[in-house]
Amino acid sequence: MKLCILGGGGFRTPYVYQALLRDHGSPRIDEVALYDVDESRLHTMTAILTELATGFEDAPALAPTTDLHRAVEGSDFVFAALRVGGLEGRRCDEHVALDLGVLGQETTGPGGLAYAIRTVPVMVEAARVIRDLAPNAYVMNFTNPAGIITEAMQSVLGDRVLGICDTPSGLGRRVAGTLGLDHTRVQMDYVGLNHLGWMRRLLYDGRDVLPELLADDGKLAAMEEGHVFGVDWIRTLGVIPNEYLFYYYNNRDAVRTIVDSGKTRGDFLAESQASFYERAAQAGDSAADLWRTTVARRSASYMAEAKGGTQDAPAEVRERETDPAHQGYAGVALGVMAAISRNERQTMILNVRNSGTIAGLPADAVVEVPTMVDANGVHPLTTDQPDLHQIGLMAQVKAVERHTIAAALTGSKDEALKAFALHPLVDSVAVARDLVRGYVDRIPEVAAVLTR
Ligand code: G6P
Ligand code: MN
């Protein structure tokens, strides 16, 4: 089978390729098209992947290209993870908002909306190319903000595009691990939008083990979420929030900490990624090692501001994505491909069309919920309804997401203003106006979209 990776020159491509190398089921991916707009990154990444494939006799063939049509044509699966505007765009997403005293983050808050505005048109166009040249392909969208991008792409591809995030499965694994349970045997009851969800129960042999965790100070405190949210707040909520809810529940602290740290995540990554690609281009046979050390550093400083550290001095080293047994990022994608192509039925938390699963949201809204995946596609599982707080926040953010998509597709600054002004983390219409102006001034790819 052919897999096309949109954004194939990107830093996380080796996760996917490593997972493919170790996958021996049938049918399997034997051809990987790597599409990227940056030829030199594509070259560097191809060299790293080739190095990783050493010793694997049946390594999937690599076809790097800057030609989107050629990359997509005849694909069975498309994996999309790209960053329109690059890391300089991410820095502006953060800084324009922080300069106005509101959250500057790549997916949550106004920064995520600016990121979406420039990304939606590109991904909708990619969706059209996929519809025409790979009509049977399933699209696994990792491109952030994943919920918004997936919903926009669904207008072209329907249920053949699903959004993937590694945070719900990561949360499930951490809870299982903390309780000493085999994470492959637990089933999570989770509801939300992407980066805005809650784990409500964790079933093990049919029994909900979450109350056990909530009752245990030591275990809760040892978990990353205990650290980020505080044991008391988690217990008060009675559910475990997705780590991105830190930016809502602790908004002031988050803004202050990021501003005081002097370096945003985007600042840190712009430096470290530029130096990685430069050095990797010259590293020859050791480029894969360089990738591994860079990944470890990137993982260690992930969400540093939520854990009492800074990008340069993270408080705590956390095992994330680097453990091949976890395969966080790529594992979910591989699971989807196996379930669909081999009819290996699996339940997974994915971003899919609501279709009545959550009564308070439109049927065609994309939500992040447990689904059953098999050869017939992806089906959301019926679930208990969210409580008032959860549905309220989801509905508000969904409205914002829809104005964002409308702004991106029509170029309307009024729609953009509505999106920013209605966002729960933007506290004034005046600030929303400044945000629209600031993003148009600072990010050429946003200016190119918002023309009306
Ligand atoms: C998690 C999220 C992804 C996000 C990534 C950011 O894995 O689920 O959606 O892209 O973190 O990591 P970064 O290293 O880019 O800050
Ligand atoms: Mn995510």
Side-chain angles (χ1 to χ4, degrees), residues 11-12 83 87 90 94 105-107 115 142-146 164-168 194-195 242-244 265-266 268-269 273 295 297-299 301-303 311 318 320-321 328-329 368:
F11 186 69
R12 291 196 173 94
R83 188 177 290 281
L87 283 167
R90 181 169 180 174
E94 297 165 345
Q105 208 279 332
E106 66 153 347
T107 64
Y115 187 15
F142 275 84
T143 305
N144 271 326
I164 300 189
C165 180
D166 57 337
T167 58
N194 180 234
H195 291 185
N242 182 290
E243 58 211 36
Y244 279 83
R265 180 67 168 163
F268 168 79
L269 289 175
Q273 294 285 288
V295 163
R297 240 186 109 209
R298 181 172 187 156
S299 302
S301 55
Y302 170 73
M303 267 200 185
Q311 285 299 316
R318 168 180 159 197
R320 193 185 175 83
E321 292 185 353
Y329 188 73
E368 193 167 86

Side-chain angles (χ1 to χ4, degrees), residues 23 203 231 265 311 343 350 397 450:
D23 175 42
L203 297 176
V231 168
R265 180 67 168 163
Q311 285 299 316
N343 203 18
L350 297 170
V397 171
L450 296 182

Side-chain angles (χ1 to χ4, degrees), residues 56-301:
F56 290 87
E57 274 170 22
D58 52 0
L62 293 169
T65 176
T66 53
D67 181 334
L68 176 64
H69 291 232
R70 198 194 291 173
V72 165
E73 191 161 31
S75 293
D76 297 284
F77 290 95
V78 177
F79 180 98
L82 45 87
R83 188 177 290 281
V84 178
L87 283 167
E88 183 52 26
R90 181 169 180 174
R91 291 189 59 247
C92 295
D93 292 336
E94 297 165 345
H95 283 285
V96 167
L98 291 168
D99 287 351
L100 293 165
V102 291
L103 179 70
Q105 208 279 332
E106 66 153 347
T107 64
T108 305
L113 306 186
Y115 187 15
I117 286 171
R118 64 180 180 273
T119 309
V120 162
V122 173
M123 296 308 287
V124 166
E125 183 47 35
R128 293 197 186 106
V129 173
I130 295 166
R131 178 195 59 199
D132 295 343
L133 297 181
N136 297 321
Y138 274 90
V139 181
M140 297 169 286
N141 176 53
F142 275 84
T143 305
N144 271 326
I148 303 181
I149 302 304
T150 302
E151 186 163 317
M153 291 180 83
Q154 285 204 343
S155 63
V156 180
L157 291 167
D159 290 327
R160 284 196 172 266
V161 49
L162 44 104
I164 300 189
C165 180
D166 57 337
T167 58
S169 56
L171 173 57
R173 270 197 308 271
R174 282 194 294 284
V175 173
T178 305
L179 292 172
L181 303 173
D182 172 3
H183 71 84
T184 62
R185 280 181 58 186
V186 298
Q187 192 164 344
M188 236 201 299
D189 171 18
Y190 183 96
V191 73
L193 307 181
N194 180 234
H195 291 185
L196 188 110
W198 299 265
M199 183 207 271
R200 303 179 295 184
R201 297 187 304 162
L202 191 73
L203 297 176
Y204 187 82
D205 286 346
R207 188 172 63 88
D208 180 14
V209 294
L210 198 56
E212 199 179 303
L213 176 65
L214 292 176
D216 190 323
D217 268 12
K219 284 188 175 141
L220 254 188
M223 266 190 70
E224 183 173 310
E225 280 68 16
H227 195 57
V228 167
F229 294 103
V231 168
D232 291 344
W233 179 237
I234 294 184
R235 198 169 284 147
T236 301
L237 278 172
V239 294
I240 310 216
N242 182 290
E243 58 211 36
Y244 279 83
L245 277 163
F246 168 75
Y247 298 114
Y248 286 83
Y249 294 140
N250 300 64
N251 182 253
R252 266 177 203 241
D253 323 66
V255 174
R256 199 187 48 234
T257 315
I258 298 171
V259 170
D260 289 353
S261 76
K263 189 181 270 187
T264 65
R265 180 67 168 163
D267 296 338
F268 168 79
L269 289 175
E271 274 172 29
S272 65
Q273 294 285 288
S275 123
F276 163 74
Y277 278 100
E278 205 175 293
R279 288 166 62 206
Q282 281 139 33
D285 280 355
S286 55
D289 279 338
L290 186 63
W291 179 76
R292 283 188 202 97
T293 48
T294 312
V295 163
R297 240 186 109 209
R298 181 172 187 156
S299 302
S301 55

Side-chain angles (χ1 to χ4, degrees), residues 101 294 326 345:
T294 312
H326 287 179
R345 186 170 289 187

